[in-house]
Structure formats: structure tokens, C-alpha cells
Amino acid sequence: MFKRRQFASLLLLGLWVSSQALGQSDDTSVERDKPQQSPPVTESWLDNWHSNFSESMDYTAQRLDEFFALADSDEHKNARAEGRVRFGWEPRTRDLAAQDFRFRVRVKLPALKDRVDLMLSDDESYDRQDSIRAARDAVNENRDSTTLSLRYQEEQDSPISHRIGAGRRGQLFAKSQYENDYHFTDVLKMDYDAELYYYTRDELGAELGLDFTYLLADEKYLRFNNRYYYRDRFEDWFWRHEVQYLRPLTQESAILYTFVTKGLTKPNHHLNEVYTSARWRTNYLRSWLYFELEPFVLWLRKEDFKPSYGVAMRFEFYYGQQ
């Protein structure tokens, strides 16, 4: 697992370094394709760094999209990259050295009419985020693996998408997903999705998700998440139930209370894990930079359900259009 994390870190760093090298090897191309924006004098080194990083990722996206562009077409110049990078230290009793590194990169390809996105992430589920690393690994550590894929949608707002790529211990895969939502009232919404996929070694798999969100006063909300994962290799189901309560504190910060249970259906329907946490998140310094502090308690079957107390400390930055 540690080696996969090192590989993911080096891969992300390599994307940025390679874009810098390409830029230096063709000054004329850089001046033509990169946005010509001079940062204001009042910007700090942090703003300049973020701007340079974003432009470098966009430049790499443009070079990639140019491969698919038709002759005499300039559509590739509109290619953009977006994503996030998160670093965390999550010490807990019985595991004081726990660390977490997460990232995702999505490249939109206008040369392909914005129907195809290139995705690179540390997890096969690009849009969903679990909390602490220990909780993710406890149920299905195979999902926590660097994934590179292409996603196709007939239309940008289509509920159906298809993906092909490589991930989960180097396996090739194909996946189809349907996701949509339904508003019962102005304050009650249901999100639902289904996935069907095939991995070269793990074979057939499926996922079902059903989430209910109830909006409360003062921008608070209560959410109930349910998710099931089928594994053909073991012929059983993972299940996951989660309750969340979000309470904004200021315009830049909020606290999220979470209670999660996870388990399996074989040899019988049993509980594998319970955890609860309170996550404080703020971005008071920059709109693209977040800090998190999350005290938690974790109970694992493999640890005889003895409570493990910990606190997660993270910082995360976003780039591109989110």
C-alpha cells in the first residue's frame, strides 16, 4: 500500500514536472497556448504558486487534447484540467504513523466534443470521498489504488456514463454507471446510482447507492447514505450505512458530524466496522485551500471492537473549475 502511495505521489509530481519541461522546450508554443495573465502585484507567493500550478496542468491538458484534435482545429486550446490534492496525518491508538495522500485529476477534452474525460485518481470512485484512511481500508482496500481511466458521456448532463481504464492492483476494467436524483420537496432530495463493472482478475462487480438529504434551517442538512458493493470473486456484498449532519459555523467554515457502520453478508450478515467523527473544515485563507481537523473513534472487528481514538489533520487544495 505504501508503495502505491509513493507511486501515486511521484505520478502526480511527474505530470507537473513534465508540463514545465515541455513549456521550456517550446517557448513559442507556450506563449501561444498558455493564458496570458500577469498576477497582480498584491498576490502572494502562495497565489503565484497556485496560478502557475493550474496553468501548468492546463498546458498539459492542451497538449494531450491536441493528440485528438482535427487538422487546422484550435479546440484543444480550450482543454482544462481540474482536481484536488490532499495530504493528511491521521494518528490513532495502535497506529500513530497513519498517513493519507489523496488526489484526483480530470481533464476535459474539447477536441472530442467534451464527451470524453481523462481521469487520474487514487481511488476508482472518482467523485465519492470517504473519511479516514483506516476506515476505507477496513472494508475494501483493493479500491484504494491509483486509477487511470477515460469516461464517456453522450451528453454532458447525461445520467449514463461509461469508463475504461486500469486500476485496482493493475487490472484493466470497464464500467457503466447510471446516476440521477429526485426532489420530493424543496427540502428533501434523493440521489441514486447503480454501477456495473468487470475487472480482468476480480471479474464482475456491481454497486448500488441510495442517499437522502434533508435541508434544515440556516443551511444545515441531514443526510442518510446507503451503499452496497457486490464482489463476484467472493460472491458476497459489502454494505455501508452513514448518517451525516452538517452545521455551518461561518461563511468559511463548517463542522460535519458522521456516524458510519460497515459490514459483509457472508458467511452471514455481520458488522465489521463502526466509526464516528466530527470534522471541522475551513478555507479562511484562500477559496481553493482547505484545512481539516477531525477527531474520531473507530471500532474494528479485527481489533475485537476495542475503541481506537484518533485525530485527522489535513490540508487540501483545488485547482481548475470545480
Side-chain angles (χ1 to χ4, degrees):
M1 182 67 65
F2 179 69
K3 291 182 178 179
R4 290 202 301 268
R5 288 291 175 186
Q6 280 187 322
F7 171 74
S9 303
L10 292 174
L11 186 59
L12 186 64
L13 180 62
L15 283 174
W16 181 76
V17 172
S18 63
S19 65
Q20 294 284 13
L22 285 171
Q24 293 177 358
S25 64
D26 189 356
D27 293 339
T28 303
S29 179
V30 171
E31 293 300 322
R32 181 180 68 250
D33 293 338
K34 291 181 64 176
Q36 300 298 318
Q37 296 180 352
S38 299
V41 179
T42 55
E43 286 190 350
S44 69
W45 68 268
L46 188 61
D47 296 304
N48 291 332
W49 175 85
H50 182 260
S51 177
N52 290 335
F53 183 90
S54 299
E55 290 181 7
S56 296
M57 296 300 290
D58 286 345
Y59 179 70
T60 303
Q62 291 165 12
R63 299 279 70 78
L64 177 64
D65 196 40
E66 189 176 12
F67 178 79
F68 301 99
L70 299 175
D72 301 324
S73 174
D74 291 332
E75 289 185 348
H76 68 277
K77 295 181 180 180
N78 298 321
R80 293 292 181 267
E82 61 183 36
R84 65 178 177 88
V85 179
R86 185 171 81 179
F87 301 90
W89 180 40
E90 303 178 352
R92 66 182 181 95
T93 52
R94 296 187 291 279
D95 190 4
L96 296 178
Q99 299 179 7
D100 193 19
F101 171 72
R102 308 205 72 185
F103 69 92
R104 71 182 184 195
V105 181
R106 180 168 63 185
V107 178
K108 297 184 178 181
L109 304 175
L112 298 177
K113 307 302 181 183
D114 288 325
R115 294 179 179 178
V116 178
D117 293 345
L118 175 67
M119 296 184 176
L120 175 67
S121 69
D122 65 304
D123 190 286
E124 64 186 61
S125 296
Y126 175 80
D127 294 317
R128 290 185 292 275
Q129 301 180 41
D130 272 340
S131 183
I132 59 176
R133 166 80 177 278
R136 296 200 308 271
D137 290 350
V139 171
N140 191 355
E141 62 183 11
N142 293 335
R143 296 173 57 83
D144 195 24
S145 178
T146 302
T147 299
L148 178 65
S149 65
L150 288 171
R151 184 180 68 171
Y152 170 79
Q153 287 179 288
E154 182 66 28
E155 301 291 342
Q156 292 190 38
D157 57 351
S158 173
I160 300 176
S161 63
H162 308 281
R163 291 172 60 184
I164 58 173
R168 193 187 290 182
R169 310 185 316 279
Q171 300 180 78
L172 300 179
F173 72 88
K175 174 186 293 189
S176 294
Q177 180 183 36
Y178 177 87
E179 55 184 345
N180 213 330
D181 58 57
Y182 180 79
H183 291 260
F184 295 99
T185 66
D186 291 338
V187 296
L188 180 60
K189 183 184 74 164
M190 176 180 68
D191 296 276
Y192 53 95
D193 68 274
E195 298 181 11
L196 182 66
Y197 43 81
Y198 185 88
Y199 280 78
T200 51
R201 292 196 303 274
D202 290 347
E203 300 179 346
L204 187 67
E207 296 184 21
L208 298 173
L210 186 63
D211 304 337
F212 295 92
T213 302
Y214 184 72
L215 300 178
L216 305 172
D218 301 324
E219 298 184 345
K220 302 172 186 173
Y221 74 71
L222 184 65
R223 179 174 292 163
F224 184 43
N225 302 325
N226 304 273
R227 195 153 199 88
Y228 295 88
Y229 312 88
Y230 174 74
R231 309 180 304 174
D232 185 53
R233 187 159 62 101
F234 299 101
E235 297 184 350
D236 66 353
W237 289 82
F238 289 124
W239 53 267
R240 181 178 189 272
H241 303 301
E242 177 180 14
V243 178
Q244 293 181 337
Y245 172 66
L246 178 72
R247 178 185 178 187
L249 301 177
T250 66
Q251 289 185 346
E252 297 84 16
S253 63
I255 188 166
L256 179 67
Y257 300 95
T258 302
F259 178 78
V260 179
T261 60
K262 299 180 181 181
L264 296 168
T265 58
K266 282 193 173 184
N268 49 53
H269 195 281
H270 63 275
L271 181 68
N272 263 12
E273 170 190 337
V274 178
Y275 80 85
T276 184
S277 70
R279 185 194 312 183
W280 174 74
R281 182 176 173 91
T282 182
N283 69 332
Y284 69 95
L285 290 178
R286 298 291 189 277
S287 61
W288 49 267
L289 182 62
Y290 288 82
F291 298 92
E292 291 184 357
L293 187 66
E294 183 177 8
F296 63 87
V297 185
L298 176 68
W299 295 265
L300 299 176
R301 174 177 290 273
K302 65 182 181 181
E303 297 177 356
D304 298 322
F305 288 110
K306 295 179 181 178
S308 182
Y309 303 94
V311 58
M313 294 162 281
R314 313 182 187 97
F315 73 90
E316 180 178 68
F317 72 88
Y318 289 76
Y319 56 91
Q321 296 181 355
Q322 298 296 324

